[in-house]
Amino acid sequence: METNQQQEHVHLLIIGSGPAGYTAAIYSARANLKPVLYQGIQPGGQLTITTEVENYPGYPEGIQGPEMMVDFEKQATRMGADIRYGLATSVDFSSQPYKITIDESKVITADAVIIATGASAKWLGLPSEQRLNGSGVSACAVCDGFFFRGKEVAIVGAGDTAAEEALYLSKMCSNVHMIVRRHEMRASKVMQDRVLKTSNIMVYWNSETQEVLGDNKVEAVKLLNTAKNEEQTIPVSAFFVAIGHQPNSDIFSDYLELDEQGYIKTVPGSSRTNVEGVFACGDVQDKIYRQAVTAAGSGCMAALDAERYLSAKEHQA
């Protein structure tokens, strides 16, 4: 190890913020585990790019995503969690205490680690898509579909998630325009059949999104049919991107078991990973639900699992 690197030992390190990390911090701080939490590249996680959150219990009027994450952070701090800016850039889980490098410069050694690094939505990479993100562009139909009741919306994607979200939107929106890049979907046969049998879902095969149109909010989407080389503009109020998520798990891949998509595998019914004393919660290990409330619940599980682990370890010592 380089001599110029700072070192610090902590009892419990939480990597990542968002509902999972902050909830883990609240529970573990109340259990007197003196957790240190590094917020990562996006303090507050995916909710900080969400505008209105209406489906989190306890906020009857709804709340802005960034404001909700400030509330979570304040609560964790009030309980005694040490919340810090910084990004975990590498880890060494080969021996205890575990070593985690922050911002490529500081080494933290920890008796137990909770990973709550989340997942990032994949985007098409259009400038207009990023400009209108939160103003009609969304990567979560379950979160934001409700705001477009009775309106025309578009969704891009061809897998099971895209099919599920198109069906979800079809129940509340007047028409759903589903944009599929190839001449077929990747979704399972049963999901494809459901989509094709739903009268208010229109599928656009061989189609690529060229631009999302609108000055301050989504007004239309411009498509190119690659088979016919024809352009078409469809008036819509929202544009949902459902081309997948990328779990933020790369730095752990040498030590932790990941599934084929890169999600951290946990023992069912727990937050335990294949490395003793390393726990994972939230979207980095959940590709099914991916909601703020489920992430918070799994953060609670991780804190309780870590507390039991550290307590048992102390009794053995």
mmCIF file of all heavy atoms in Angstrom, residues 122-158:
data_model
loop_
_atom_site.group_PDB
_atom_site.id
_atom_site.type_symbol
_atom_site.label_atom_id
_atom_site.label_comp_id
_atom_site.label_asym_id
_atom_site.label_seq_id
_atom_site.Cartn_x
_atom_site.Cartn_y
_atom_site.Cartn_z
ATOM 1 N N LYS A 122 -30.401 2.998 -17.952
ATOM 2 C CA LYS A 122 -29.716 3.192 -19.232
ATOM 3 C C LYS A 122 -30.539 4.179 -20.049
ATOM 4 O O LYS A 122 -31.772 4.095 -20.082
ATOM 5 C CB LYS A 122 -29.601 1.868 -19.979
ATOM 6 C CG LYS A 122 -28.657 0.873 -19.320
ATOM 7 C CD LYS A 122 -28.636 -0.420 -20.116
ATOM 8 C CE LYS A 122 -27.814 -1.487 -19.429
ATOM 9 N NZ LYS A 122 -27.976 -2.798 -20.056
ATOM 10 N N TRP A 123 -29.864 5.086 -20.714
ATOM 11 C CA TRP A 123 -30.530 6.105 -21.532
ATOM 12 C C TRP A 123 -30.131 5.937 -22.987
ATOM 13 O O TRP A 123 -29.134 5.292 -23.297
ATOM 14 C CB TRP A 123 -30.166 7.515 -21.058
ATOM 15 C CG TRP A 123 -30.605 7.795 -19.646
ATOM 16 C CD1 TRP A 123 -29.853 7.704 -18.513
ATOM 17 C CD2 TRP A 123 -31.917 8.181 -19.217
ATOM 18 N NE1 TRP A 123 -30.612 8.024 -17.409
ATOM 19 C CE2 TRP A 123 -31.874 8.314 -17.798
ATOM 20 C CE3 TRP A 123 -33.124 8.429 -19.879
ATOM 21 C CZ2 TRP A 123 -32.983 8.687 -17.045
ATOM 22 C CZ3 TRP A 123 -34.224 8.796 -19.123
ATOM 23 C CH2 TRP A 123 -34.154 8.927 -17.725
ATOM 24 N N LEU A 124 -30.896 6.544 -23.869
ATOM 25 C CA LEU A 124 -30.579 6.479 -25.299
ATOM 26 C C LEU A 124 -29.374 7.351 -25.642
ATOM 27 O O LEU A 124 -28.671 7.100 -26.602
ATOM 28 C CB LEU A 124 -31.782 6.952 -26.134
ATOM 29 C CG LEU A 124 -33.054 6.109 -26.018
ATOM 30 C CD1 LEU A 124 -34.199 6.784 -26.744
ATOM 31 C CD2 LEU A 124 -32.833 4.703 -26.564
ATOM 32 N N GLY A 125 -29.169 8.408 -24.841
ATOM 33 C CA GLY A 125 -28.025 9.295 -25.082
ATOM 34 C C GLY A 125 -28.362 10.502 -25.942
ATOM 35 O O GLY A 125 -27.473 11.130 -26.520
ATOM 36 N N LEU A 126 -29.647 10.844 -26.042
ATOM 37 C CA LEU A 126 -30.048 12.027 -26.820
ATOM 38 C C LEU A 126 -29.964 13.270 -25.932
ATOM 39 O O LEU A 126 -30.417 13.234 -24.789
ATOM 40 C CB LEU A 126 -31.495 11.882 -27.308
ATOM 41 C CG LEU A 126 -31.841 10.657 -28.149
ATOM 42 C CD1 LEU A 126 -33.344 10.545 -28.318
ATOM 43 C CD2 LEU A 126 -31.161 10.754 -29.499
ATOM 44 N N PRO A 127 -29.441 14.384 -26.444
ATOM 45 C CA PRO A 127 -29.409 15.615 -25.646
ATOM 46 C C PRO A 127 -30.805 16.047 -25.191
ATOM 47 O O PRO A 127 -30.989 16.473 -24.055
ATOM 48 C CB PRO A 127 -28.796 16.651 -26.596
ATOM 49 C CG PRO A 127 -28.037 15.852 -27.606
ATOM 50 C CD PRO A 127 -28.768 14.552 -27.741
ATOM 51 N N SER A 128 -31.813 15.882 -26.065
ATOM 52 C CA SER A 128 -33.184 16.309 -25.719
ATOM 53 C C SER A 128 -33.761 15.425 -24.612
ATOM 54 O O SER A 128 -34.557 15.874 -23.787
ATOM 55 C CB SER A 128 -34.085 16.258 -26.952
ATOM 56 O OG SER A 128 -34.031 14.982 -27.557
ATOM 57 N N GLU A 129 -33.326 14.171 -24.569
ATOM 58 C CA GLU A 129 -33.783 13.244 -23.532
ATOM 59 C C GLU A 129 -33.282 13.714 -22.160
ATOM 60 O O GLU A 129 -34.033 13.740 -21.185
ATOM 61 C CB GLU A 129 -33.225 11.862 -23.878
ATOM 62 C CG GLU A 129 -33.320 10.798 -22.836
ATOM 63 C CD GLU A 129 -32.451 9.607 -23.216
ATOM 64 O OE1 GLU A 129 -31.224 9.770 -23.409
ATOM 65 O OE2 GLU A 129 -32.999 8.510 -23.316
ATOM 66 N N GLN A 130 -32.036 14.131 -22.091
ATOM 67 C CA GLN A 130 -31.477 14.613 -20.820
ATOM 68 C C GLN A 130 -32.053 15.983 -20.448
ATOM 69 O O GLN A 130 -32.352 16.252 -19.296
ATOM 70 C CB GLN A 130 -29.944 14.672 -20.891
ATOM 71 C CG GLN A 130 -29.295 13.302 -20.982
ATOM 72 C CD GLN A 130 -29.734 12.331 -19.892
ATOM 73 O OE1 GLN A 130 -29.856 12.693 -18.733
ATOM 74 N NE2 GLN A 130 -29.994 11.079 -20.261
ATOM 75 N N ARG A 131 -32.241 16.833 -21.445
ATOM 76 C CA ARG A 131 -32.767 18.190 -21.191
ATOM 77 C C ARG A 131 -34.169 18.144 -20.598
ATOM 78 O O ARG A 131 -34.521 18.956 -19.744
ATOM 79 C CB ARG A 131 -32.749 18.983 -22.511
ATOM 80 C CG ARG A 131 -33.240 20.420 -22.408
ATOM 81 C CD ARG A 131 -33.031 21.172 -23.705
ATOM 82 N NE ARG A 131 -33.695 20.554 -24.841
ATOM 83 C CZ ARG A 131 -34.994 20.684 -25.116
ATOM 84 N NH1 ARG A 131 -35.768 21.419 -24.344
ATOM 85 N NH2 ARG A 131 -35.527 20.114 -26.184
ATOM 86 N N LEU A 132 -34.988 17.180 -21.057
ATOM 87 C CA LEU A 132 -36.379 17.095 -20.601
ATOM 88 C C LEU A 132 -36.580 16.031 -19.519
ATOM 89 O O LEU A 132 -37.705 15.704 -19.164
ATOM 90 C CB LEU A 132 -37.302 16.824 -21.798
ATOM 91 C CG LEU A 132 -37.396 17.991 -22.798
ATOM 92 C CD1 LEU A 132 -38.016 17.537 -24.108
ATOM 93 C CD2 LEU A 132 -38.176 19.153 -22.213
ATOM 94 N N ASN A 133 -35.472 15.518 -18.984
ATOM 95 C CA ASN A 133 -35.553 14.529 -17.908
ATOM 96 C C ASN A 133 -36.232 15.180 -16.703
ATOM 97 O O ASN A 133 -35.792 16.223 -16.220
ATOM 98 C CB ASN A 133 -34.133 14.075 -17.540
ATOM 99 C CG ASN A 133 -34.152 12.842 -16.661
ATOM 100 O OD1 ASN A 133 -35.180 12.494 -16.094
ATOM 101 N ND2 ASN A 133 -33.017 12.183 -16.547
ATOM 102 N N GLY A 134 -37.327 14.566 -16.241
ATOM 103 C CA GLY A 134 -38.092 15.161 -15.134
ATOM 104 C C GLY A 134 -39.188 16.099 -15.620
ATOM 105 O O GLY A 134 -40.008 16.560 -14.840
ATOM 106 N N SER A 135 -39.205 16.375 -16.926
ATOM 107 C CA SER A 135 -40.260 17.219 -17.508
ATOM 108 C C SER A 135 -41.017 16.434 -18.579
ATOM 109 O O SER A 135 -41.312 16.937 -19.654
ATOM 110 C CB SER A 135 -39.648 18.487 -18.120
ATOM 111 O OG SER A 135 -38.952 19.221 -17.148
ATOM 112 N N GLY A 136 -41.262 15.160 -18.247
ATOM 113 C CA GLY A 136 -41.959 14.281 -19.195
ATOM 114 C C GLY A 136 -41.116 13.118 -19.645
ATOM 115 O O GLY A 136 -41.638 12.120 -20.125
ATOM 116 N N VAL A 137 -39.794 13.232 -19.499
ATOM 117 C CA VAL A 137 -38.909 12.097 -19.780
ATOM 118 C C VAL A 137 -38.638 11.382 -18.470
ATOM 119 O O VAL A 137 -38.295 12.017 -17.470
ATOM 120 C CB VAL A 137 -37.580 12.553 -20.430
ATOM 121 C CG1 VAL A 137 -36.596 11.393 -20.504
ATOM 122 C CG2 VAL A 137 -37.821 13.113 -21.827
ATOM 123 N N SER A 138 -38.826 10.054 -18.465
ATOM 124 C CA SER A 138 -38.680 9.286 -17.233
ATOM 125 C C SER A 138 -38.173 7.890 -17.548
ATOM 126 O O SER A 138 -38.416 7.365 -18.634
ATOM 127 C CB SER A 138 -40.034 9.180 -16.521
ATOM 128 O OG SER A 138 -40.021 8.194 -15.513
ATOM 129 N N ALA A 139 -37.471 7.289 -16.579
ATOM 130 C CA ALA A 139 -37.029 5.903 -16.731
ATOM 131 C C ALA A 139 -37.837 4.979 -15.828
ATOM 132 O O ALA A 139 -37.451 3.843 -15.613
ATOM 133 C CB ALA A 139 -35.543 5.783 -16.423
ATOM 134 N N CYS A 140 -38.963 5.477 -15.315
ATOM 135 C CA CYS A 140 -39.770 4.638 -14.410
ATOM 136 C C CYS A 140 -41.253 4.908 -14.601
ATOM 137 O O CYS A 140 -41.794 5.876 -14.054
ATOM 138 C CB CYS A 140 -39.365 4.880 -12.954
ATOM 139 S SG CYS A 140 -40.271 3.843 -11.796
ATOM 140 N N ALA A 141 -41.904 4.038 -15.368
ATOM 141 C CA ALA A 141 -43.345 4.210 -15.626
ATOM 142 C C ALA A 141 -44.161 4.043 -14.350
ATOM 143 O O ALA A 141 -45.155 4.740 -14.144
ATOM 144 C CB ALA A 141 -43.807 3.209 -16.682
ATOM 145 N N VAL A 142 -43.736 3.119 -13.481
ATOM 146 C CA VAL A 142 -44.481 2.890 -12.235
ATOM 147 C C VAL A 142 -44.426 4.141 -11.350
ATOM 148 O O VAL A 142 -45.376 4.467 -10.646
ATOM 149 C CB VAL A 142 -43.923 1.652 -11.494
ATOM 150 C CG1 VAL A 142 -44.599 1.457 -10.146
ATOM 151 C CG2 VAL A 142 -44.107 0.401 -12.348
ATOM 152 N N CYS A 143 -43.274 4.850 -11.393
ATOM 153 C CA CYS A 143 -43.132 6.069 -10.579
ATOM 154 C C CYS A 143 -43.944 7.223 -11.168
ATOM 155 O O CYS A 143 -44.566 7.979 -10.438
ATOM 156 C CB CYS A 143 -41.665 6.505 -10.516
ATOM 157 S SG CYS A 143 -40.499 5.191 -10.186
ATOM 158 N N ASP A 144 -43.886 7.381 -12.483
ATOM 159 C CA ASP A 144 -44.352 8.630 -13.090
ATOM 160 C C ASP A 144 -45.552 8.509 -14.034
ATOM 161 O O ASP A 144 -46.094 9.527 -14.470
ATOM 162 C CB ASP A 144 -43.180 9.290 -13.845
ATOM 163 C CG ASP A 144 -42.023 9.628 -12.913
ATOM 164 O OD1 ASP A 144 -42.294 9.957 -11.745
ATOM 165 O OD2 ASP A 144 -40.860 9.541 -13.347
ATOM 166 N N GLY A 145 -45.979 7.287 -14.338
ATOM 167 C CA GLY A 145 -47.097 7.115 -15.276
ATOM 168 C C GLY A 145 -48.373 7.801 -14.827
ATOM 169 O O GLY A 145 -49.120 8.364 -15.638
ATOM 170 N N PHE A 146 -48.593 7.790 -13.517
ATOM 171 C CA PHE A 146 -49.796 8.364 -12.908
ATOM 172 C C PHE A 146 -50.025 9.832 -13.299
ATOM 173 O O PHE A 146 -51.149 10.293 -13.401
ATOM 174 C CB PHE A 146 -49.628 8.225 -11.386
ATOM 175 C CG PHE A 146 -50.795 8.699 -10.579
ATOM 176 C CD1 PHE A 146 -51.938 7.930 -10.474
ATOM 177 C CD2 PHE A 146 -50.745 9.918 -9.906
ATOM 178 C CE1 PHE A 146 -53.010 8.352 -9.701
ATOM 179 C CE2 PHE A 146 -51.821 10.351 -9.140
ATOM 180 C CZ PHE A 146 -52.950 9.565 -9.036
ATOM 181 N N PHE A 147 -48.917 10.563 -13.519
ATOM 182 C CA PHE A 147 -49.025 11.998 -13.836
ATOM 183 C C PHE A 147 -49.546 12.239 -15.249
ATOM 184 O O PHE A 147 -49.825 13.377 -15.622
ATOM 185 C CB PHE A 147 -47.667 12.692 -13.667
ATOM 186 C CG PHE A 147 -47.112 12.553 -12.271
ATOM 187 C CD1 PHE A 147 -45.958 11.832 -12.032
ATOM 188 C CD2 PHE A 147 -47.766 13.132 -11.192
ATOM 189 C CE1 PHE A 147 -45.459 11.681 -10.743
ATOM 190 C CE2 PHE A 147 -47.270 12.992 -9.899
ATOM 191 C CZ PHE A 147 -46.119 12.269 -9.676
ATOM 192 N N PHE A 148 -49.650 11.169 -16.038
ATOM 193 C CA PHE A 148 -50.058 11.337 -17.436
ATOM 194 C C PHE A 148 -51.351 10.565 -17.729
ATOM 195 O O PHE A 148 -51.560 10.073 -18.835
ATOM 196 C CB PHE A 148 -48.904 10.919 -18.367
ATOM 197 C CG PHE A 148 -47.661 11.727 -18.097
ATOM 198 C CD1 PHE A 148 -46.657 11.231 -17.276
ATOM 199 C CD2 PHE A 148 -47.531 13.015 -18.592
ATOM 200 C CE1 PHE A 148 -45.535 11.993 -16.977
ATOM 201 C CE2 PHE A 148 -46.421 13.783 -18.308
ATOM 202 C CZ PHE A 148 -45.413 13.275 -17.496
ATOM 203 N N ARG A 149 -52.216 10.502 -16.710
ATOM 204 C CA ARG A 149 -53.514 9.844 -16.869
ATOM 205 C C ARG A 149 -54.281 10.475 -18.035
ATOM 206 O O ARG A 149 -54.361 11.692 -18.145
ATOM 207 C CB ARG A 149 -54.364 10.018 -15.606
ATOM 208 C CG ARG A 149 -53.838 9.345 -14.397
ATOM 209 C CD ARG A 149 -54.803 9.410 -13.217
ATOM 210 N NE ARG A 149 -55.195 10.746 -12.814
ATOM 211 C CZ ARG A 149 -54.414 11.591 -12.166
ATOM 212 N NH1 ARG A 149 -53.175 11.264 -11.859
ATOM 213 N NH2 ARG A 149 -54.857 12.785 -11.815
ATOM 214 N N GLY A 150 -54.839 9.617 -18.884
ATOM 215 C CA GLY A 150 -55.667 10.097 -19.984
ATOM 216 C C GLY A 150 -54.898 10.761 -21.113
ATOM 217 O O GLY A 150 -55.497 11.300 -22.034
ATOM 218 N N LYS A 151 -53.569 10.700 -21.062
ATOM 219 C CA LYS A 151 -52.755 11.364 -22.099
ATOM 220 C C LYS A 151 -52.081 10.329 -22.994
ATOM 221 O O LYS A 151 -52.036 9.143 -22.683
ATOM 222 C CB LYS A 151 -51.694 12.234 -21.431
ATOM 223 C CG LYS A 151 -52.306 13.257 -20.472
ATOM 224 C CD LYS A 151 -51.607 14.588 -20.573
ATOM 225 C CE LYS A 151 -52.383 15.656 -19.827
ATOM 226 N NZ LYS A 151 -51.558 16.393 -18.919
ATOM 227 N N GLU A 152 -51.538 10.818 -24.091
ATOM 228 C CA GLU A 152 -50.772 9.967 -25.012
ATOM 229 C C GLU A 152 -49.322 9.935 -24.529
ATOM 230 O O GLU A 152 -48.746 10.989 -24.233
ATOM 231 C CB GLU A 152 -50.790 10.563 -26.434
ATOM 232 C CG GLU A 152 -52.166 10.781 -26.992
ATOM 233 C CD GLU A 152 -52.494 9.868 -28.173
ATOM 234 O OE1 GLU A 152 -51.585 9.272 -28.759
ATOM 235 O OE2 GLU A 152 -53.689 9.749 -28.481
ATOM 236 N N VAL A 153 -48.743 8.738 -24.464
ATOM 237 C CA VAL A 153 -47.347 8.616 -24.024
ATOM 238 C C VAL A 153 -46.599 7.675 -24.957
ATOM 239 O O VAL A 153 -47.205 6.868 -25.670
ATOM 240 C CB VAL A 153 -47.248 8.094 -22.568
ATOM 241 C CG1 VAL A 153 -47.953 9.035 -21.594
ATOM 242 C CG2 VAL A 153 -47.804 6.679 -22.438
ATOM 243 N N ALA A 154 -45.267 7.787 -24.922
ATOM 244 C CA ALA A 154 -44.421 6.870 -25.696
ATOM 245 C C ALA A 154 -43.506 6.131 -24.735
ATOM 246 O O ALA A 154 -43.139 6.649 -23.681
ATOM 247 C CB ALA A 154 -43.589 7.650 -26.713
ATOM 248 N N ILE A 155 -43.169 4.901 -25.098
ATOM 249 C CA ILE A 155 -42.193 4.131 -24.329
ATOM 250 C C ILE A 155 -41.250 3.447 -25.303
ATOM 251 O O ILE A 155 -41.678 2.945 -26.338
ATOM 252 C CB ILE A 155 -42.890 3.108 -23.390
ATOM 253 C CG1 ILE A 155 -41.856 2.367 -22.542
ATOM 254 C CG2 ILE A 155 -43.778 2.139 -24.157
ATOM 255 C CD1 ILE A 155 -42.448 1.622 -21.349
ATOM 256 N N VAL A 156 -39.954 3.473 -24.976
ATOM 257 C CA VAL A 156 -38.968 2.826 -25.854
ATOM 258 C C VAL A 156 -38.370 1.639 -25.111
ATOM 259 O O VAL A 156 -38.031 1.730 -23.937
ATOM 260 C CB VAL A 156 -37.884 3.825 -26.327
ATOM 261 C CG1 VAL A 156 -37.113 4.435 -25.171
ATOM 262 C CG2 VAL A 156 -36.922 3.176 -27.303
ATOM 263 N N GLY A 157 -38.293 0.497 -25.808
ATOM 264 C CA GLY A 157 -37.755 -0.719 -25.210
ATOM 265 C C GLY A 157 -38.430 -1.935 -25.795
ATOM 266 O O GLY A 157 -39.493 -1.829 -26.412
ATOM 267 N N ALA A 158 -37.814 -3.109 -25.595
ATOM 268 C CA ALA A 158 -38.355 -4.319 -26.224
ATOM 269 C C ALA A 158 -38.257 -5.542 -25.333
ATOM 270 O O ALA A 158 -38.589 -6.646 -25.758
ATOM 271 C CB ALA A 158 -37.607 -4.581 -27.531
#
